[in-house]
Short mmCIF file of all heavy atoms in Angstrom, two decimals:
data_model
loop_
_atom_site.label_atom_id
_atom_site.label_comp_id
_atom_site.label_asym_id
_atom_site.label_seq_id
_atom_site.Cartn_x
_atom_site.Cartn_y
_atom_site.Cartn_z
N HIS O 20 3.69 -10.83 -9.82
CA HIS O 20 4.16 -10.39 -8.50
C HIS O 20 3.63 -8.99 -8.21
O HIS O 20 3.10 -8.30 -9.08
CB HIS O 20 5.69 -10.42 -8.42
CG HIS O 20 6.37 -9.74 -9.57
ND1 HIS O 20 6.40 -8.37 -9.70
CD2 HIS O 20 7.03 -10.23 -10.64
CE1 HIS O 20 7.05 -8.06 -10.80
NE2 HIS O 20 7.44 -9.16 -11.39
N VAL O 21 3.80 -8.58 -6.96
CA VAL O 21 3.23 -7.32 -6.48
C VAL O 21 3.81 -6.11 -7.21
O VAL O 21 3.09 -5.16 -7.53
CB VAL O 21 3.46 -7.18 -4.97
CG1 VAL O 21 3.14 -5.77 -4.50
CG2 VAL O 21 2.58 -8.16 -4.21
N LEU O 22 5.10 -6.11 -7.47
CA LEU O 22 5.71 -4.97 -8.15
C LEU O 22 5.09 -4.75 -9.53
O LEU O 22 4.87 -3.61 -9.95
CB LEU O 22 7.22 -5.18 -8.28
CG LEU O 22 8.08 -4.46 -7.25
CD1 LEU O 22 9.53 -4.89 -7.38
CD2 LEU O 22 7.96 -2.95 -7.37
N GLU O 23 4.82 -5.84 -10.22
CA GLU O 23 4.19 -5.72 -11.54
C GLU O 23 2.79 -5.10 -11.41
O GLU O 23 2.40 -4.26 -12.21
CB GLU O 23 4.10 -7.10 -12.20
CG GLU O 23 3.60 -7.03 -13.65
CD GLU O 23 3.60 -8.39 -14.33
OE1 GLU O 23 3.99 -9.39 -13.69
OE2 GLU O 23 3.18 -8.45 -15.50
N ILE O 24 2.06 -5.52 -10.39
CA ILE O 24 0.73 -4.96 -10.15
C ILE O 24 0.82 -3.45 -9.92
O ILE O 24 0.11 -2.66 -10.55
CB ILE O 24 0.06 -5.62 -8.92
CG1 ILE O 24 -0.29 -7.08 -9.23
CG2 ILE O 24 -1.22 -4.86 -8.53
CD1 ILE O 24 -0.78 -7.86 -8.02
N ILE O 25 1.71 -3.04 -9.01
CA ILE O 25 1.84 -1.62 -8.66
C ILE O 25 2.26 -0.79 -9.87
O ILE O 25 1.69 0.26 -10.16
CB ILE O 25 2.84 -1.45 -7.51
CG1 ILE O 25 2.28 -2.08 -6.23
CG2 ILE O 25 3.15 0.04 -7.27
CD1 ILE O 25 3.27 -2.14 -5.07
N LEU O 26 3.26 -1.27 -10.61
CA LEU O 26 3.76 -0.53 -11.77
C LEU O 26 2.68 -0.40 -12.85
O LEU O 26 2.49 0.68 -13.43
CB LEU O 26 5.00 -1.22 -12.35
CG LEU O 26 6.27 -1.10 -11.49
CD1 LEU O 26 7.32 -2.09 -11.97
CD2 LEU O 26 6.81 0.32 -11.53
N LYS O 27 1.95 -1.48 -13.09
CA LYS O 27 0.91 -1.44 -14.12
C LYS O 27 -0.28 -0.57 -13.71
O LYS O 27 -0.85 0.14 -14.53
CB LYS O 27 0.43 -2.87 -14.44
CG LYS O 27 1.41 -3.66 -15.29
CD LYS O 27 0.85 -5.03 -15.63
CE LYS O 27 1.78 -5.79 -16.56
NZ LYS O 27 1.24 -7.15 -16.87
N LEU O 28 -0.65 -0.65 -12.42
CA LEU O 28 -1.78 0.16 -11.95
C LEU O 28 -1.45 1.65 -12.00
O LEU O 28 -2.30 2.47 -12.41
CB LEU O 28 -2.17 -0.24 -10.52
CG LEU O 28 -2.95 -1.55 -10.39
CD1 LEU O 28 -3.17 -1.88 -8.92
CD2 LEU O 28 -4.30 -1.46 -11.10
N TYR O 29 -0.23 2.00 -11.59
CA TYR O 29 0.15 3.41 -11.67
C TYR O 29 0.25 3.87 -13.12
O TYR O 29 -0.10 5.00 -13.46
CB TYR O 29 1.46 3.66 -10.93
CG TYR O 29 1.23 4.05 -9.49
CD1 TYR O 29 1.39 3.14 -8.45
CD2 TYR O 29 0.82 5.33 -9.15
CE1 TYR O 29 1.15 3.49 -7.13
CE2 TYR O 29 0.58 5.70 -7.84
CZ TYR O 29 0.75 4.77 -6.83
OH TYR O 29 0.50 5.12 -5.53
N ASN O 30 0.72 2.99 -13.99
CA ASN O 30 0.79 3.34 -15.41
C ASN O 30 -0.60 3.61 -15.97
O ASN O 30 -0.82 4.55 -16.74
CB ASN O 30 1.48 2.23 -16.21
CG ASN O 30 1.89 2.68 -17.59
OD1 ASN O 30 2.55 3.70 -17.74
ND2 ASN O 30 1.50 1.94 -18.60
N LEU O 31 -1.56 2.78 -15.57
CA LEU O 31 -2.96 2.96 -15.97
C LEU O 31 -3.47 4.33 -15.49
O LEU O 31 -4.12 5.06 -16.24
CB LEU O 31 -3.81 1.84 -15.39
CG LEU O 31 -5.30 1.84 -15.70
CD1 LEU O 31 -5.56 1.53 -17.17
CD2 LEU O 31 -6.03 0.81 -14.83
N HIS O 32 -3.15 4.65 -14.25
CA HIS O 32 -3.58 5.92 -13.66
C HIS O 32 -2.94 7.11 -14.40
O HIS O 32 -3.63 8.09 -14.72
CB HIS O 32 -3.18 5.95 -12.19
CG HIS O 32 -3.48 7.23 -11.50
ND1 HIS O 32 -4.75 7.62 -11.15
CD2 HIS O 32 -2.66 8.25 -11.10
CE1 HIS O 32 -4.72 8.80 -10.56
NE2 HIS O 32 -3.45 9.20 -10.52
N PHE O 33 -1.65 7.01 -14.70
CA PHE O 33 -0.96 8.12 -15.34
C PHE O 33 -1.38 8.29 -16.80
O PHE O 33 -1.36 9.40 -17.33
CB PHE O 33 0.56 7.94 -15.23
CG PHE O 33 1.08 8.01 -13.82
CD1 PHE O 33 2.00 7.10 -13.34
CD2 PHE O 33 0.62 9.00 -12.96
CE1 PHE O 33 2.46 7.16 -12.04
CE2 PHE O 33 1.06 9.07 -11.65
CZ PHE O 33 2.00 8.16 -11.19
N GLU O 34 -1.74 7.19 -17.45
CA GLU O 34 -2.25 7.28 -18.84
C GLU O 34 -3.56 8.06 -18.86
O GLU O 34 -3.80 8.86 -19.77
CB GLU O 34 -2.45 5.88 -19.43
CG GLU O 34 -1.17 5.23 -19.92
CD GLU O 34 -0.46 6.05 -20.99
OE1 GLU O 34 -1.12 6.41 -21.99
OE2 GLU O 34 0.73 6.34 -20.82
N LEU O 35 -4.42 7.83 -17.86
CA LEU O 35 -5.66 8.59 -17.76
C LEU O 35 -5.35 10.06 -17.46
O LEU O 35 -5.93 10.97 -18.05
CB LEU O 35 -6.55 8.02 -16.66
CG LEU O 35 -7.82 8.82 -16.32
CD1 LEU O 35 -8.76 8.88 -17.52
CD2 LEU O 35 -8.54 8.23 -15.12
N LEU O 36 -4.42 10.27 -16.55
CA LEU O 36 -4.04 11.63 -16.14
C LEU O 36 -3.56 12.45 -17.33
O LEU O 36 -3.82 13.65 -17.42
CB LEU O 36 -2.93 11.54 -15.08
CG LEU O 36 -2.77 12.69 -14.10
CD1 LEU O 36 -4.05 12.92 -13.31
CD2 LEU O 36 -1.61 12.40 -13.15
N LYS O 37 -2.86 11.78 -18.25
CA LYS O 37 -2.32 12.46 -19.43
C LYS O 37 -3.42 13.06 -20.30
O LYS O 37 -3.21 14.05 -20.99
CB LYS O 37 -1.48 11.44 -20.23
CG LYS O 37 -0.69 12.04 -21.36
CD LYS O 37 0.41 11.10 -21.83
CE LYS O 37 -0.11 9.77 -22.30
NZ LYS O 37 0.93 8.91 -22.87
N LYS O 38 -4.61 12.45 -20.25
CA LYS O 38 -5.72 12.90 -21.11
C LYS O 38 -6.58 13.98 -20.46
O LYS O 38 -7.41 14.59 -21.12
CB LYS O 38 -6.62 11.69 -21.44
CG LYS O 38 -5.91 10.58 -22.18
CD LYS O 38 -6.81 9.36 -22.30
CE LYS O 38 -6.07 8.18 -22.91
NZ LYS O 38 -6.90 6.96 -22.92
N VAL O 39 -6.38 14.20 -19.15
CA VAL O 39 -7.28 15.09 -18.41
C VAL O 39 -6.84 16.54 -18.51
O VAL O 39 -5.67 16.87 -18.27
CB VAL O 39 -7.35 14.68 -16.92
CG1 VAL O 39 -8.29 15.61 -16.16
CG2 VAL O 39 -7.82 13.24 -16.78
N ASN O 40 -7.79 17.40 -18.86
CA ASN O 40 -7.56 18.85 -18.86
C ASN O 40 -7.34 19.31 -17.41
O ASN O 40 -8.09 18.95 -16.52
CB ASN O 40 -8.78 19.55 -19.46
CG ASN O 40 -8.55 21.03 -19.71
OD1 ASN O 40 -8.07 21.74 -18.84
ND2 ASN O 40 -8.92 21.49 -20.89
N ASN O 41 -6.30 20.11 -17.19
CA ASN O 41 -6.00 20.57 -15.83
C ASN O 41 -7.18 21.26 -15.16
O ASN O 41 -7.34 21.20 -13.93
CB ASN O 41 -4.81 21.55 -15.86
CG ASN O 41 -3.48 20.84 -16.07
OD1 ASN O 41 -3.42 19.61 -16.09
ND2 ASN O 41 -2.43 21.60 -16.26
N LYS O 42 -8.04 21.90 -15.94
CA LYS O 42 -9.19 22.61 -15.39
C LYS O 42 -10.15 21.66 -14.68
O LYS O 42 -10.86 22.06 -13.75
CB LYS O 42 -9.94 23.38 -16.49
CG LYS O 42 -9.17 24.55 -17.06
CD LYS O 42 -10.05 25.42 -17.95
CE LYS O 42 -10.44 24.72 -19.22
NZ LYS O 42 -11.21 25.61 -20.13
N PHE O 43 -10.17 20.41 -15.11
CA PHE O 43 -11.09 19.43 -14.52
C PHE O 43 -10.85 19.30 -13.02
O PHE O 43 -11.79 19.33 -12.23
CB PHE O 43 -10.92 18.07 -15.21
CG PHE O 43 -11.76 16.98 -14.62
CD1 PHE O 43 -13.08 16.82 -15.01
CD2 PHE O 43 -11.24 16.11 -13.67
CE1 PHE O 43 -13.87 15.81 -14.46
CE2 PHE O 43 -12.01 15.10 -13.12
CZ PHE O 43 -13.33 14.96 -13.53
N PHE O 44 -9.59 19.18 -12.62
CA PHE O 44 -9.26 19.01 -11.20
C PHE O 44 -9.57 20.26 -10.40
O PHE O 44 -10.09 20.19 -9.28
CB PHE O 44 -7.79 18.64 -11.04
CG PHE O 44 -7.42 17.33 -11.66
CD1 PHE O 44 -6.63 17.28 -12.79
CD2 PHE O 44 -7.88 16.14 -11.13
CE1 PHE O 44 -6.29 16.06 -13.37
CE2 PHE O 44 -7.54 14.92 -11.69
CZ PHE O 44 -6.75 14.89 -12.83
N ALA O 45 -9.24 21.41 -10.97
CA ALA O 45 -9.50 22.67 -10.27
C ALA O 45 -11.00 22.87 -10.05
O ALA O 45 -11.43 23.30 -8.98
CB ALA O 45 -8.91 23.83 -11.06
N GLU O 46 -11.78 22.56 -11.05
CA GLU O 46 -13.23 22.79 -10.99
C GLU O 46 -13.95 21.73 -10.15
O GLU O 46 -15.03 21.99 -9.62
CB GLU O 46 -13.80 22.84 -12.41
CG GLU O 46 -13.34 24.07 -13.18
CD GLU O 46 -13.51 23.97 -14.68
OE1 GLU O 46 -14.01 22.94 -15.17
OE2 GLU O 46 -13.13 24.94 -15.37
N LEU O 47 -13.34 20.58 -10.00
CA LEU O 47 -13.94 19.52 -9.18
C LEU O 47 -14.06 19.95 -7.72
O LEU O 47 -14.99 19.53 -7.02
CB LEU O 47 -13.08 18.25 -9.29
CG LEU O 47 -13.70 16.94 -8.84
CD1 LEU O 47 -14.93 16.58 -9.68
CD2 LEU O 47 -12.68 15.81 -8.92
N SER O 48 -13.14 20.80 -7.28
CA SER O 48 -13.14 21.26 -5.88
C SER O 48 -14.37 22.10 -5.54
O SER O 48 -14.64 22.36 -4.36
CB SER O 48 -11.87 22.06 -5.59
OG SER O 48 -11.84 23.24 -6.37
N LYS O 49 -15.11 22.53 -6.53
CA LYS O 49 -16.31 23.34 -6.29
C LYS O 49 -17.53 22.49 -5.94
O LYS O 49 -18.62 23.02 -5.73
CB LYS O 49 -16.60 24.19 -7.53
CG LYS O 49 -15.49 25.20 -7.83
CD LYS O 49 -15.74 25.93 -9.14
CE LYS O 49 -14.56 26.86 -9.46
NZ LYS O 49 -14.72 27.53 -10.76
#
């Protein structure tokens, strides 16, 4: 169902986010 899709996709996104150095996002704006 759709809720499972949304929850799993966001979980995938947040798992990646957990590994990213904060500097990456700040420096990307350049």
Side-chain angles (χ1 to χ4, degrees):
H20 49 73
V21 168
L22 261 173
E23 187 176 0
I24 291 172
I25 293 172
L26 288 166
K27 285 183 176 179
L28 284 176
Y29 268 102
N30 194 51
L31 181 69
H32 176 74
F33 294 135
E34 280 301 307
L35 173 63
L36 205 58
K37 189 162 59 174
K38 300 172 186 175
V39 180
N40 189 312
N41 285 354
K42 291 190 292 184
F43 177 84
F44 296 110
E46 292 162 1
L47 196 62
S48 64
K49 297 174 184 177

